[in-house]
Amino acid sequence: MSEKIKEWPGVALKDADIKEKKVLFTEWRPNLKYAWDTGVGYGRYFEGLRNGRIVGTRCNKCHRVLLPARAFCEWCFRTVDEWVYLKDTGTVNTFSIAYTGTQAERLKEPRIPALIEIDGSNGVGIMHLLGEVDPKNVKNGMRVKAVWKPKEQRQGAITDIKYWKPFEEGTR
Amino acid sequence: MSPLDKITLVNQVQPWYGEIPVYGQYTFGVAGERFFREIKDNARIMGTVCNSCNLTYVPARLFCERCYNKLESWVDVGTKGRVHTYTVACLNLDGSRISEPIILAMVQIDGTCGGLVHQLGEVTPDKVKIGIPVEAVFKAKAQRTGSILDIKYFRPC
């Protein structure tokens, strides 16, 4: 409403008017399927996940690892110099304990999304979930290791890693 | 392998598939509601009259787009009109060939301003000309749903 208009004329439509078909309307359900060409960098990154390894690229000018792999360094606009194959271990940089799921449903067992800095990437993190751990025991700086799906279930996606579990240095 | 080497194995670059769920409902508005109800219930085409501009709008509108007056006088404009313009469609939406071409036309109802985009029936493309008189053919009442497709087609008269 505004300064001059305190009430608009007419009757607003209610959800029930549509549901009970009291008013005429057309429905519209566009087909918005898409296929995103993953390209050289992400393509090999996803293919790497299918094969159970984490693939990045390195820019020798900026002395950094790009993860997920990219073909160009967006800092210096050069083609990257080489592929790097990183370990599936890392360190929890930050985390959250979520009692709400992706459909806004309540969860009895919380999910623990975390940013995990991958070993050998000099601090580049990926978003993922923690598992096999009591939420109370999760700490920043905790060492974690990827738990992969069985090879035949992998699809070339970040979900090919089921979750990350805590591990002791020197064990598998 | 350098990062810019050509990828020779196509399965190394898979597309990422997705779908964006979008659903929309479009209500016809105050004038559209009455216009389509009349088609559905009474098989009548209605227009609204602007007395200051001396125009009848079809399809019916709530406001005159020339003088912005509110239009409150409704008239039955009949079912006859003229082909204002037309095109002959030989392809489906997916690009495949239609065995029987569809004649799409904008029909201006006699004595009114505006027009209805629809299709012509009971006529072959070579008989269609701009300006030929046509009339609306309605579906049976039970089949009408309150859509412009409640008019089956326009045919020469």
Side-chain angles (χ1 to χ4, degrees):
Chain A
M1 303 296 146
S2 72
E3 190 81 348
K4 287 180 188 164
I5 301 168
K6 295 292 170 216
E7 208 169 314
W8 297 106
V11 182
L13 275 181
K14 294 189 188 71
D15 204 29
D17 296 333
I18 300 268
K19 284 204 181 108
E20 292 160 24
K21 308 226 166 175
K22 284 184 184 163
V23 294
L24 298 171
F25 60 92
T26 56
E27 292 171 284
W28 182 67
R29 211 183 287 275
N31 175 3
L32 298 180
K33 286 183 185 145
Y34 63 88
W36 172 56
D37 183 353
T38 50
V40 177
Y42 272 70
R44 274 187 81 82
Y45 172 70
F46 288 130
E47 190 57 27
L49 289 170
R50 189 200 294 276
N51 295 323
R53 61 184 182 181
I54 297 168
V55 181
T57 48
R58 195 192 313 279
C59 173
N60 286 341
K61 193 174 171 197
C62 301
H63 303 291
R64 66 170 188 137
V65 168
L66 289 79
L67 180 72
R70 268 99 76 195
F72 290 88
C73 174
E74 66 269 11
W75 288 6
C76 64
F77 296 115
R78 281 169 64 254
T79 306
V80 295
D81 296 286
E82 59 180 341
W83 298 99
V84 285
Y85 301 97
L86 297 150
K87 286 185 185 160
D88 62 350
T89 53
T91 308
V92 173
N93 173 292
T94 182
F95 67 93
S96 175
I97 299 173
Y99 286 88
T100 311
T102 51
Q103 305 294 314
E105 77 278 22
R106 290 198 177 272
L107 302 175
K108 277 209 171 108
E109 294 292 321
R111 279 152 54 102
I112 313 170
L115 184 70
I116 297 151
E117 287 178 2
I118 305 300
D119 286 350
S121 72
N122 209 1
V124 182
I126 61 172
M127 288 290 292
H128 218 285
L129 296 167
L130 301 184
E132 292 183 36
V133 61
D134 190 327
K136 288 191 205 79
N137 297 335
V138 180
K139 299 261 184 318
N140 287 341
M142 191 169 79
R143 302 282 294 139
V144 288
K145 180 171 171 55
V147 177
W148 295 83
K149 283 183 184 168
K151 190 163 174 72
E152 62 278 4
Q153 286 177 22
R154 292 188 206 143
Q155 297 172 315
I158 191 63
T159 46
D160 290 350
I161 298 174
K162 274 200 276 192
Y163 52 81
W164 299 67
K165 65 171 184 187
F167 88 113
E168 299 278 328
E169 241 34 80
T171 61
R172 286 294 300 171
Chain B
M1 180 177 165
S2 144
L4 272 197
D5 279 353
K6 266 193 187 156
I7 288 178
T8 47
L9 297 169
V10 178
N11 66 357
Q12 284 187 351
V13 186
Q14 54 178 351
W16 186 272
Y17 294 102
E19 185 173 2
I20 306 171
V22 170
Y23 169 63
Q25 290 166 336
Y26 181 80
T27 53
F28 299 161
V30 176
E33 177 80 19
R34 181 158 169 196
F35 177 77
F36 283 106
R37 286 265 176 223
E38 288 284 354
I39 288 179
K40 183 175 185 240
D41 299 340
N42 307 321
R44 286 197 298 190
I45 298 172
M46 301 293 284
T48 47
V49 182
C50 177
N51 291 321
S52 57
C53 298
N54 203 16
L55 283 174
T56 305
Y57 288 103
V58 172
R61 255 150 282 183
L62 201 56
F63 286 89
C64 174
E65 58 204 36
R66 288 173 176 75
C67 68
Y68 298 116
N69 263 349
K70 194 170 182 185
L71 307 182
E72 283 167 314
S73 119
W74 287 69
V75 286
D76 179 354
V77 294
T79 60
K80 291 185 177 171
R82 280 167 201 281
V83 172
H84 186 75
T85 180
Y86 73 97
T87 186
V88 181
C90 300
L91 301 180
N92 276 315
L93 280 175
D94 61 4
S96 58
R97 204 153 270 281
I98 312 175
S99 52
E100 197 73 19
I102 294 172
I103 311 163
L104 301 165
M106 171 139 161
V107 176
Q108 188 164 30
I109 303 296
D110 290 338
T112 68
C113 175
L116 301 172
V117 178
H118 220 289
Q119 65 187 66
L120 302 184
E122 300 180 30
V123 63
T124 50
D126 55 307
K127 297 277 188 328
V128 180
K129 293 208 166 39
I130 286 175
I132 61 168
V134 289
E135 65 176 353
V137 178
F138 288 85
K139 285 182 184 167
K141 183 159 186 182
Q143 290 167 13
R144 296 203 290 261
T145 58
S147 149
I148 194 65
L149 298 176
D150 291 354
I151 298 172
K152 238 194 286 186
Y153 47 74
F154 284 83
R155 68 174 175 210
C157 66

